[in-house]
């Protein structure tokens, strides 16, 4: 084999080694990009973070939520009490507030059960936030209806005339007035007036508290034992109806209530009560499948509906999907509000049938939902603030109410992938329903009136910065980085493979061309080599043969090298 042929083969082998290295690197990059796509490290990290077990991130988020939950309280101050009692004017009210409290929640006595549920006792307490309030509640005075007098009188509307007369006599003896001028603090946490302490002594099983305060009763939830599902059966391909809270036969839903004090329903609305016409399960009296609003199921879909339960509401509040869009912090979210028929009458929304009990009291108009069983049988009702979306007759009875959707509608933003509430404004109003009383002139001007007492805005302004940053990293930045890495890896791998393939083809073609009998002599490749040019410049006495030049350029022929040296000198 000639020296030239050996050189060509050597160069071809070296080129193949380089091309093989490039091809291997390309295959490795393609395999790595596919592995990243298949494993999905971002999804793995999210699942690790969202695993619900003792000591995990999500467990800590649920056990003692680090979010700031504010209870903004607005009261209704009566501005014309004398004119109203004399029958000259309709009752006129003026909104006063907000008086803001920060709610702190901790789920205690936590126990993981064998059936993939968890049992716990929620405990809440509130702390006044002066910098967010309009004033000091101990110094601000308001004129309000006497809840003890009006509430007890209204609760006796179905009692005999003799019972009502006896109560009226007691009211005169104690000089109970229909309106009280008190501080906001006393009105919220307990008024010193004679009727309620007397009732608590005479009927301790009925009235178990010596003073009546609106927030005091709202946050006195007692000791409740809740059992909640840890995992659920939510799947992307599962029909939405199978996962609705009202579907009591549906599969379990993650982070949904399984039982409340041992029952999947509300006994005060007839669930499981013998000889009760509403004892059958319905969305009215069933809380299984509802959520407390701290965590929602992961992987939410727009066609899934949810209900929120809180004991102060006395019922579940159904939510409906509104839109998909980011929060002000640019975290992806689903936005919800209360269903339009949440406070509809039973003839329009049959799901509300158990809230209407004609044998106990007249059914309430649109926009009101009965709270009486949860407030010591004192007739009360929940509505949206300022009777927003309620029957017009309620607004016609009271002056000073101005319903406004932007101020009084409920809004809830939830991160659908992880099920964490991001922003919340749950707004509800508590009202005193005064039925037609008998034989009590102090109460007669209030007959058949629904009095707005106060409304609250349960507010979550946003998550702590470290949680928002974590969500942003997992849900926004992380997927972009991962997708970019997959594209770069796969693109680089493909380019390297193409380069390697092209290099193999070119090298093989050159080798074939050089070995062809019709190919131009290889020496012509060195026609303008450095050696040839240098030789021409110095005009050597003896010109070396082309074969010698090739050998010299490859450093393979010592004699030719010596000859070339002699010729150059």
């Amino acid at each position: 084999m000639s020296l030239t042929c050996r050189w060509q083969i050597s160069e071809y082998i070296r080129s193949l080694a380089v091309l093989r290295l490039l091809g291997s690197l390309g295959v490795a990059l393609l395999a790595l990009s596919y592995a990243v796509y298949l494993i999905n490290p971002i999804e793995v990290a999210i699942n690790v973070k969202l695993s619900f077990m003792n000591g995990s991130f999500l467990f800590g988020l649920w056990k003692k939520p680090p979010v700031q939950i504010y209870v903004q309280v607005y009261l209704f101050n009566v501005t014309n009490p004398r004119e109203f009692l004399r029958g000259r004017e309709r009752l006129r009210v003026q909104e006063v507030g907000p008086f803001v409290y920060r709610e702190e929640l901790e789920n205690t006595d936590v126990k993981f059960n064998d059936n993939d549920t968890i049992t716990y006792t929620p405990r809440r307490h509130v702390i006044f936030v002066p910098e967010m309030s309009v004033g000091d509640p101990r110094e601000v005075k308001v004129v309000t209806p006497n809840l003890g007098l009006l509430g007890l009188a209204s609760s006796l509307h179905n009692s005999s005339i003799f019972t009502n007369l006896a109560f009226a006599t007691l009211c005169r003896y104690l000089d109970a007035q229909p309106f009280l001028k008190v501080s906001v603090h006393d009105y919220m946490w307990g008024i010193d007036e004679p009727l309620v302490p007397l009732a608590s002594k005479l009927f301790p099983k009925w009235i178990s508290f010596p003073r009546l305060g609106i927030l005091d009763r709202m946050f006195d939830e007692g000791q409740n034992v809740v059992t909640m599902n840890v995992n659920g059966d939510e799947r992307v391909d599962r029909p939405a109806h199978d996962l609705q809270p009202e579907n009591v036969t549906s599969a379990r839903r993650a982070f949904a209530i399984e039982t409340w004090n041992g029952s999947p329903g509300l006994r005060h609305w007839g669930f499981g009560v013998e000889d009760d016409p509403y004892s059958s399960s319905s969305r009215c009296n069933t809380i299984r499948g509802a959520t407390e609003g701290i965590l929602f199921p992961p992987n939410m879909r727009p066609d899934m509906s949810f209900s929120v339960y809180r004991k102060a509401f006395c019922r579940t509040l159904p939510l409906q999907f509104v839109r998909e869009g980011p929060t002000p912090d640019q975290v992806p979210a689903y936005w919800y509000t209360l269903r339009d028929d949440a406070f509809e009458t039973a003839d329009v929304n049959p799901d509300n049938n158990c809230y209407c009990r004609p044998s106990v009291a007249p059914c309430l108009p649109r926009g009101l939902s009965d709270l009486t069983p949860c407030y010591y049988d004192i007739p009360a009702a929940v509505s949206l603030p300022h009777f927003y979306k309620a029957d017009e007759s309620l607004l016609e009875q009271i002056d000073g109410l101005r319903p406004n959707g932007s101020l009084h509608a409920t809004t809830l933003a939830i991160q659908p992938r992880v099920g964490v509430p991001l922003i919340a404004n749950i707004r509800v109003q508590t009202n005193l329903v005064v039925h037609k009383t008998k034989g009590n002139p102090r109460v007669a001007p209030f007959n058949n009136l629904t009095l707005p007492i106060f409304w609250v805005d349960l507010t979550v302004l946003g998550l702590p910065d470290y949680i928002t940053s974590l969500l942003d990293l997992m849900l926004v930045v992380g997927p972009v980085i991962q997708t970019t890495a997959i594209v770069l890896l796969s693109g680089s791998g493909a380019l390297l493979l193409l380069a390697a393939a092209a290099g193999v083809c070119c090298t093989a073609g050159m080798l074939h061309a050089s070995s062809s009998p019709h190919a131009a002599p290889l020496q012509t490749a060195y026609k303008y080599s450095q050696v040839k040019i240098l030789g021409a410049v110095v005009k050597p006495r003896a010109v070396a043969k082309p074969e010698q030049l090739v050998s010299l350029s490859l450093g393979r022929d010592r004699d030719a090298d010596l000859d070339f040296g002699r010729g150059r000198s």
Side-chain angles (χ1 to χ4, degrees), residues 118-144:
I118 186 173
T119 301
Y120 59 94
T121 298
R123 303 184 189 279
R124 291 180 171 88
H125 69 279
V126 293
I127 302 171
F128 181 62
V129 186
E131 61 272 17
M132 298 179 67
S133 303
V134 296
D136 186 345
R138 297 180 183 274
E139 297 179 357
V140 179
K141 303 290 184 180
V142 290
V143 176
T144 64

Side-chain angles (χ1 to χ4, degrees), residues 25-26 28-34 36 484-494:
L25 184 58
L29 291 178
L30 285 175
L32 182 59
S33 68
Y34 182 71
V36 172
T484 303
I486 292 174
V487 171
L488 290 177
L489 289 173
S490 59
S492 302

Side-chain angles (χ1 to χ4, degrees), residues 92-285:
R92 188 185 312 118
V93 297
Q94 178 187 31
E95 181 180 284
V96 180
F99 298 93
V100 183
Y101 295 82
R102 187 178 72 252
E103 179 183 277
E104 294 186 352
L105 167 67
E106 183 174 6
N107 293 310
T108 61
D109 303 326
V110 178
K111 177 185 177 184
F112 283 88
N113 303 314
D114 295 334
N115 60 348
D116 211 17
T117 62
I118 186 173
T119 301
Y120 59 94
T121 298
R123 303 184 189 279
R124 291 180 171 88
H125 69 279
V126 293
I127 302 171
F128 181 62
V129 186
E131 61 272 17
M132 298 179 67
S133 303
V134 296
D136 186 345
R138 297 180 183 274
E139 297 179 357
V140 179
K141 303 290 184 180
V142 290
V143 176
T144 64
N146 187 337
L147 299 181
L149 170 62
L150 299 178
L152 293 173
S154 182
S155 66
L156 298 174
H157 72 282
N158 274 342
S159 301
S160 66
I161 185 63
F162 300 104
T163 303
N164 280 271
L165 288 174
F167 180 73
T169 302
L170 180 62
C171 291
R172 285 195 302 271
Y173 174 75
L174 296 175
D175 193 26
Q177 297 298 318
F179 288 105
L180 300 173
K181 186 174 183 179
V182 295
S183 70
V184 170
H185 178 270
D186 289 345
Y187 193 53
M188 290 192 293
W189 300 106
I191 303 173
D192 288 322
E193 63 88 37
L195 270 177
V196 174
L198 180 61
S200 67
K201 292 178 182 178
L202 296 176
F203 310 102
K205 292 185 178 180
W206 175 31
I207 305 295
S208 59
F209 46 89
R211 298 194 305 172
L212 178 60
I214 54 177
L215 286 192
D216 182 61
R217 295 300 91 211
M218 177 179 172
F219 283 97
D220 184 16
E221 297 184 341
Q223 182 134 342
N224 302 289
V225 179
V226 186
T227 299
M228 179 186 75
N229 297 322
V230 173
N231 296 307
D233 297 324
E234 291 89 354
R235 298 196 308 270
V236 174
D237 59 345
R238 193 177 190 93
H241 180 266
D242 291 349
L243 299 170
Q244 305 312 317
E246 63 268 22
N247 185 6
V248 294
T249 62
S250 69
R252 296 197 312 183
R253 172 174 275 181
F255 308 127
I257 297 171
E258 183 70 11
T259 62
W260 188 282
N261 291 328
S263 173
L266 302 171
R267 291 182 61 84
H268 55 263
W269 292 123
F271 185 92
V273 179
E274 296 181 3
D275 301 326
D276 191 301
Y278 307 108
S279 61
S280 61
S281 62
S282 66
R283 186 154 66 97
C284 225
N285 54 26

Side-chain angles (χ1 to χ4, degrees), residues 533-553:
I533 294 172
L534 288 174
V537 171
V538 298
K539 296 181 179 180
R541 298 173 186 175
V543 179
K545 295 181 179 181
E547 292 81 356
Q548 292 175 322
L549 289 174
V550 172
S551 300
L552 177 62
S553 64

